[in-house]
Amino acid sequence: RRPHARRKRLRTGGMAPPPVKGASAQHAQEEHTQRDVHTLNGLLKFTFFVVNSMYCLVGVALIGLSIYCLTDAWADLDPDIYRSAATILISTGAVILIIVMCGCFGAVYQEQRTGSCRGRRLLSFYQLCLLTLIGLQFYTTVYMLNTAESLQTVKDELASARSNETVAYVDAEESLSNKFNDYYFDTVTGSQDGYFWDFIDGNCPQSSGMGSDDCNVETYASTCPDEDACNADDDNAMENCPYDMCRRAAVTRFLGIVEPIGDYGIFVCIFETALMILTCCLICFNPRDAEQTILMKSGNFESAAKIKSAV
């Protein structure tokens, strides 16, 4: 028996048995798959940083648009509405800048699973804020597009209507017409400086006789709008109102403000939807451990040692 055991030790040389080819190939395939997953995640993260940086420009653009609202010439017609719009735009732009930074930090710490600065926690908060903004902007965009569509209908009807036909007001014109008429009558006997009177002289029909040359503090021709008749409660009152005498030009100007805002809202909603998809991909990413690590975490150290020795 002794010589037999000695010959067996000599044949093996005291070395471990050769590695199993199947286990080694499986481990190599797992490592290759892990590299592919991490490469894809890196590409998604890079795309997220680029798109998120562009979203930061959207926030800056909203703040710039708020400045335009405060300095727009038509702000004199309804200062309260323009100030409210500017406040909303500034607040939205500031919120966008804050959540952009939150999203960037979440992407940087995406794979961190412990501590207060967890990647998934930051990305989830970013996604929640983004979802809220999408809902609010979607509502605003739909309202602006509906307003633009109704104003476009009024514009087309005014272009095709006869002189003795009356085109009904849409909802957006109710407030606009009152502000237009009030501002005209309040300033017609004043200095008549500013964009409003430049608009009256340059866009309203010359045949209406409502320009600054005919209607001013020194001369008030019979063709000028009559404030008392305009405020009267009868069917022909609108014919004596400044807004109705210059309605087609006013509708065109107002449409030029509302329509771009609606188109911009569509772009922002699509942009934010793309960010939502990228954020979902980053949140759902979970780097898969190697088989050896999984066995060690489960307490199966013997099997983990075998896999290690087979590599």
Side-chain angles (χ1 to χ4, degrees):
R1 292 180 181 176
R2 282 183 176 178
H4 179 71
R6 186 164 179 260
R7 285 195 300 270
K8 184 176 180 180
R9 285 196 299 269
L10 290 174
R11 282 197 303 267
T12 59
M15 303 294 292
V20 182
K21 293 184 179 180
S24 178
Q26 182 180 0
H27 183 74
Q29 181 64 30
E30 288 179 356
E31 287 188 345
H32 180 71
T33 303
Q34 279 187 315
R35 285 195 298 269
D36 290 344
V37 171
H38 280 276
T39 300
L40 178 60
N41 181 67
L43 180 61
L44 288 173
K45 191 181 295 187
F46 174 77
T47 306
F48 177 82
F49 279 123
V50 173
V51 179
N52 208 34
S53 300
M54 295 173 63
Y55 190 47
C56 179
L57 298 179
V58 173
V60 175
L62 288 178
I63 296 176
L65 186 60
S66 66
I67 299 175
Y68 168 78
C69 287
L70 293 175
T71 58
D72 184 54
W74 279 57
D76 294 333
L77 295 181
D78 198 343
D80 293 335
I81 290 182
Y82 273 81
R83 278 195 295 267
S84 300
T87 302
I88 293 173
L89 290 173
I90 290 176
S91 302
T92 305
V95 169
I96 287 177
L97 294 179
I98 293 173
I99 67 172
V100 161
M101 290 188 291
C102 179
C104 289
F105 279 113
V108 169
Y109 298 103
Q110 176 201 13
E111 299 183 31
Q112 183 171 329
R113 298 291 186 261
T114 59
S116 58
C117 191
R118 299 178 185 177
R120 282 186 175 180
R121 181 180 297 176
L122 289 174
L123 288 173
S124 298
F125 175 75
Y126 171 84
Q127 192 176 45
L128 180 62
C129 294
L130 200 61
L131 185 62
T132 304
L133 285 177
I134 289 176
L136 295 175
Q137 289 178 354
F138 179 78
Y139 173 79
T140 304
T141 301
V142 170
Y143 174 78
M144 288 296 179
L145 291 176
N146 289 335
T147 302
E149 184 179 1
S150 62
L151 290 174
Q152 184 62 49
T153 302
V154 170
K155 181 181 177 180
D156 296 338
E157 290 180 357
L158 289 173
S160 60
R162 297 178 181 178
S163 58
N164 59 347
E165 291 182 355
T166 301
V167 179
Y169 278 9
V170 295
D171 293 339
E173 288 185 287
E174 295 292 342
S175 176
L176 176 63
S177 61
N178 292 330
K179 300 296 183 181
F180 192 98
N181 294 334
D182 292 342
Y183 192 81
Y184 182 92
F185 290 126
D186 290 341
T187 58
V188 67
T189 56
S191 60
Q192 297 184 352
D193 294 331
Y195 175 84
F196 179 80
W197 281 98
D198 292 338
F199 172 81
I200 294 293
D201 294 335
N203 296 275
C204 296
Q206 296 294 329
S207 58
S208 64
M210 60 179 294
S212 59
D213 293 336
D214 299 322
C215 309
N216 51 64
V217 66
E218 297 178 355
T219 304
Y220 205 82
S222 59
T223 57
C224 296
D226 188 344
E227 185 174 4
D228 294 332
C230 177
N231 294 328
D233 189 12
D234 58 63
D235 296 337
N236 298 324
M238 291 191 303
E239 297 178 0
N240 300 291
C241 294
Y243 179 79
D244 286 85
M245 298 173 69
C246 191
R247 186 181 179 187
R248 185 182 300 180
V251 168
T252 302
R253 177 67 178 87
F254 192 42
L255 182 62
I257 297 174
V258 174
E259 195 170 25
I261 295 177
D263 295 337
Y264 177 78
I266 294 176
F267 166 75
V268 173
C269 287
I270 294 175
F271 198 83
E272 290 173 339
T273 303
L275 274 174
M276 283 285 294
I277 296 174
L278 286 172
T279 308
C280 285
C281 294
L282 292 177
I283 291 175
C284 295
F285 173 76
N286 186 20
R288 183 177 181 275
D289 292 329
E291 186 177 357
Q292 176 189 350
T293 306
I294 295 174
L295 291 172
M296 292 183 67
K297 288 181 178 180
S298 63
N300 197 341
F301 298 102
E302 184 178 354
S303 300
K306 289 180 179 180
I307 294 178
K308 184 177 181 180
S309 63
V311 178

